[in-house]
Amino acid sequence: MNDLIVRNSRWLSISAIKDGYDGTISVAETSKSIPFEIKRVYYIYNLVHHDNVVRGKHAHKKLQQALFCINGSCSVSLNDGTEQQAIELTEPNRGIYLGPGVWSTMSNFRNSCILLVFASDFFSEEDYIRDFNEFLRYSKTHSA
Ligand code: T46
C-alpha cells in the first residue's frame, strides 16, 4: 500500500469483524476510525467500467470526506496543486481521508463498484471548486 504524498489525504482503516461463513462487519465511527463528525452519508453505485465513466473532477473548500469502496474496486486520482498521485480502493475496510483542497477524480470502476462516502457537512454546491484552473489558483493561496 503506497504512502499518500498529497496534502490533506491519508489512508483510513476500519474494523473488519469476521464471523466465519456468516460474513464480516465493518464499523465506521465518528472521531474514532473517521477523523471528523459525520453529518452526511452517500453512496455511488450502478457504475459501469468504461473509460468515459469518471466522477469527481472537483475539490472542496472546507468539506472533509472518507471514501470506501465497499464492493468492487476503483481508482482515485489526487492532486493538491503540487503533488499528484493515483491510488486504488480495493478493500471494503481500507479507505481514504480527503480533506479540503484536494482535487479528486474517480474512475476505472470494476466489479459492480459501490463507493460509500462519509462527509463532515451537508451538501453545499458553494463548497465545490469544479474548474481545474480555478483550483490551481485556489491551492496557491490556501496551501498552508
Ligand atoms: C465527491 C465524490 C466522491 C446532492 O444533491 N447531494 C449530495 O450529497 C451529493 C454528493 C450530490 N448531490 C447532487 C449534486 C449533483 O447534481 O448529485 C449530483 C451529482 O453530484 P456530483 O457531480 O458532485 O457527483 P460526483 O460523483 O462527481 O462527486 C460526489 C461528491 O459530490 C463529491 O463530494 O467527493 O462524490
Side-chain angles (χ1 to χ4, degrees):
M1 198 67 66
N2 46 347
D3 286 339
L4 296 191
I5 56 169
V6 169
R7 188 177 61 241
N8 280 349
S9 68
R10 64 177 184 269
W11 288 106
L12 293 175
S13 287
I14 59 174
S15 56
I17 304 163
K18 295 188 176 148
D19 199 3
Y21 293 116
D22 294 331
T24 304
I25 293 179
S26 285
V27 182
E29 293 177 288
T30 288
S31 303
K32 292 186 178 175
S33 46
I34 306 298
F36 52 80
E37 184 184 354
I38 299 165
K39 280 199 182 167
R40 177 167 52 110
V41 177
Y42 61 90
Y43 44 97
I44 301 172
Y45 56 105
N46 284 344
L47 290 156
V48 177
H49 185 189
H50 190 283
D51 286 349
N52 293 338
V53 178
V54 178
R55 301 204 65 115
K57 291 187 282 182
H58 59 248
H60 287 281
K61 296 174 188 166
K62 292 187 178 161
L63 192 71
Q64 302 177 76
Q65 301 198 102
L67 279 65
F68 291 87
C69 197
I70 59 167
N71 195 68
S73 61
C74 71
S75 307
V76 183
S77 300
L78 308 171
N79 186 329
D80 62 16
T82 305
E83 302 287 352
Q84 49 186 317
Q85 190 170 16
I87 60 157
E88 300 290 314
L89 293 181
T90 59
E91 303 294 329
N93 67 322
R94 181 87 162 147
I96 47 166
Y97 167 81
L98 279 187
V102 180
W103 184 269
S104 62
T105 304
M106 296 84 196
S107 62
N108 203 12
F109 303 103
R110 298 175 297 270
N111 300 322
S112 306
C113 172
I114 300 175
L115 195 59
L116 176 68
V117 183
F118 302 104
S120 66
D121 212 342
F122 304 118
F123 176 77
S124 165
E125 189 59 42
E126 302 293 297
D127 191 66
Y128 284 73
I129 305 170
R130 293 191 186 267
D131 178 86
F132 189 65
N133 289 325
E134 184 190 340
F135 163 71
L136 289 177
R137 286 193 295 274
Y138 183 90
S139 67
K140 281 199 178 101
T141 51
H142 295 77
S143 58

